[in-house]
Amino acid sequence: MSRPIRVLVVEDEDITAEAHAEYVRRVDGFELAAVARTGSEALAVLGLSQSRREPQGAVDLVLLDMNLPDFHGLDILRRIRGAGLPVGVIAVTAVRELPMVRKAIASGVAQYLIKPFTFAAFSDKLHHYRQFRDSLAQHGEATTQAAVDMAFAALR
């Protein structure tokens, strides 16, 4: 197996944040990079804060709540994409309104997990994300249509 996928949990509720962090620790092939309780903390960890600090460590995947005290999750997602960070994002949220789900997908989330959920559902999303990443990584600098189709199929 390749190196672990480093995960940033972005969740404002203390108990939920710790539960998600523990879930990450329990899934083989993933390691917790950090937990951010606000959008500002998440941006700082990713090196996108106003202070332009260096990132606290490599992050490969962000588990992003949509309802944060200082930013909406979509704003964080737009900043990630606008900066060109090559990180995956899985929305992990109670937001279930279809217009918001569509906006999240259009903004580049790889997966969408609606709270509450079981560890099995959480683990399944992470495993599918790993299959997606590993599938694309096998092809070096260029790929084929069949390989891209297989990678996207892994997300589903």
Side-chain angles (χ1 to χ4, degrees):
M1 185 183 322
S2 56
R3 75 170 179 80
I5 293 174
R6 295 186 39 82
V7 180
L8 168 61
V9 172
V10 183
E11 170 61 56
D12 63 320
E13 307 246 351
D14 290 339
I15 293 171
T16 305
E18 187 49 45
H20 294 175
E22 184 56 33
Y23 278 5
V24 169
R25 291 182 193 105
R26 290 176 51 191
V27 179
D28 287 338
F30 292 83
E31 74 180 29
L32 185 66
V35 175
R37 300 285 196 306
T38 66
S40 297
E41 287 179 22
L43 293 172
V45 170
L46 294 166
L48 299 175
S49 66
Q50 297 295 350
S51 65
R52 303 284 184 214
R53 290 186 288 173
E54 287 297 310
Q56 293 180 8
V59 171
D60 303 306
L61 176 64
V62 177
L63 303 182
L64 182 62
D65 188 12
M66 290 293 140
N67 296 317
L68 300 168
D70 57 346
F71 287 98
H72 192 278
L74 287 178
D75 295 327
I76 302 296
L77 185 54
R78 287 183 193 111
R79 288 189 186 199
I80 290 169
R81 296 296 174 238
L85 290 182
V87 299
V89 178
I90 297 176
V92 181
T93 182
V95 174
R96 57 185 65 230
E97 292 79 13
L98 196 51
M100 195 60 64
V101 173
R102 284 186 178 128
K103 286 179 184 177
I105 292 167
S107 297
V109 297
Q111 299 273 347
Y112 200 101
L113 185 58
I114 297 175
K115 298 175 192 174
F117 51 82
T118 63
F119 172 73
F122 180 92
S123 177
D124 189 52
K125 294 289 184 196
L126 266 61
H127 284 300
H128 285 291
Y129 179 76
R130 176 173 271 298
Q131 289 173 348
F132 166 75
R133 252 179 76 107
D134 288 351
S135 179
L136 288 177
Q138 294 174 7
H139 298 280
E141 294 298 314
T143 190
T144 64
Q145 184 64 55
V148 171
D149 291 345
M150 283 180 50
F152 275 103
L155 291 174
R156 288 159 184 78

